[in-house]
Amino acid sequence: MHVTSENGMLLYRLITVYADTYGHLYFITGLILFVLQGIQIHLLVNQFEVLYKPSFLPWLMYIVLMGSVPGLLMFSPALLANSFLLLMFDRIFRIYKCDNAQGYHFEAAAMLSLAVCIYLPAASFLLLLIASILILHPFDWRNWVSAFLGFCAPVYLLAVILFLNDRIAMMMTEKFLSGYQ
């Protein structure tokens, strides 16, 4: 069973070094992530009152739509990045009710950066993060700086970890954008 993906970014490839050896473990991990993401969607919708009243409908729709495509049930970069994107949405929803939201801006940008380090197409959510900063609060330069630092922090930490393990050349010489060039 071959579970590594050509679309995965550097962080995903570091996580799945032993994916071919333990293929069934990665299928079970993907299934667990799938169910936990459904639960997180349910909690987000009910906690922040996205619908008129509490409902299991978003969880059901997520399970049905994602379950209808068997490839999405496997552990993949998109599934792993989706976990971080859901955490980003949680932080964005929290920004709405918070007066001093620099911490939430930092956390939302950090979650987005982790998602991008795993799966490059998640970078399209950067527009959503920028729109949420513009719409949910009046302009404050500290919100923008905290979001920028939050986006840079995971990339910097990944580079430091690779440098300390003497694998920084992996980041520089390997096809960093495999499949997207």
Side-chain angles (χ1 to χ4, degrees), residues 7-181:
N7 295 333
M9 294 292 291
L10 180 64
L11 186 58
Y12 178 77
R13 284 185 262 146
L14 289 174
I15 292 170
T16 60
V17 170
Y18 301 106
D20 291 330
T21 307
Y22 304 107
H24 291 75
L25 179 66
Y26 281 86
F27 176 74
I28 292 170
T29 305
L31 195 59
I32 290 171
L33 268 176
F34 172 68
V35 171
L36 288 177
Q37 288 172 6
I39 292 171
Q40 179 141 18
I41 287 173
H42 169 71
L43 293 175
L44 279 173
V45 168
N46 289 330
Q47 180 181 5
F48 295 107
E49 299 172 355
V50 175
L51 297 177
Y52 178 67
K53 60 182 183 175
S55 172
F56 286 98
L57 189 61
W59 186 8
L60 175 68
M61 293 305 295
Y62 179 78
I63 297 293
V64 168
L65 291 176
M66 290 286 286
S68 65
V69 181
L72 294 177
L73 294 176
M74 295 288 293
F75 187 74
S76 64
L79 187 65
L80 188 58
N82 193 28
S83 300
F84 290 109
L85 290 175
L86 287 173
L87 291 172
M88 180 195 76
F89 278 114
D90 179 53
R91 299 320 187 271
I92 288 174
F93 287 153
R94 290 178 192 277
I95 289 170
Y96 180 68
K97 294 183 180 181
C98 184
D99 293 330
N100 189 9
Q102 284 95 16
Y104 290 133
H105 288 289
F106 182 88
E107 291 173 6
M111 294 301 149
L112 178 61
S113 179
L114 285 171
V116 169
C117 285
I118 292 170
Y119 189 57
L120 188 62
S124 60
F125 284 94
L126 184 60
L127 295 173
L128 176 77
L129 181 64
I130 291 170
S132 71
I133 294 173
L134 286 172
I135 293 171
L136 295 177
H137 277 283
F139 181 78
D140 184 10
W141 65 272
R142 291 175 292 181
N143 291 338
W144 289 95
V145 170
S146 64
F148 177 74
L149 291 175
F151 193 80
C152 292
V155 176
Y156 178 74
L157 289 175
L158 178 62
V160 167
I161 290 169
L162 289 174
F163 177 75
L164 292 176
N165 290 323
D166 201 27
R167 296 180 74 185
I168 196 73
M170 177 183 177
M171 187 169 139
M172 298 300 174
T173 60
E174 195 175 288
K175 285 187 198 175
F176 189 71
L177 301 175
S178 67
Y180 298 103
Q181 293 179 348

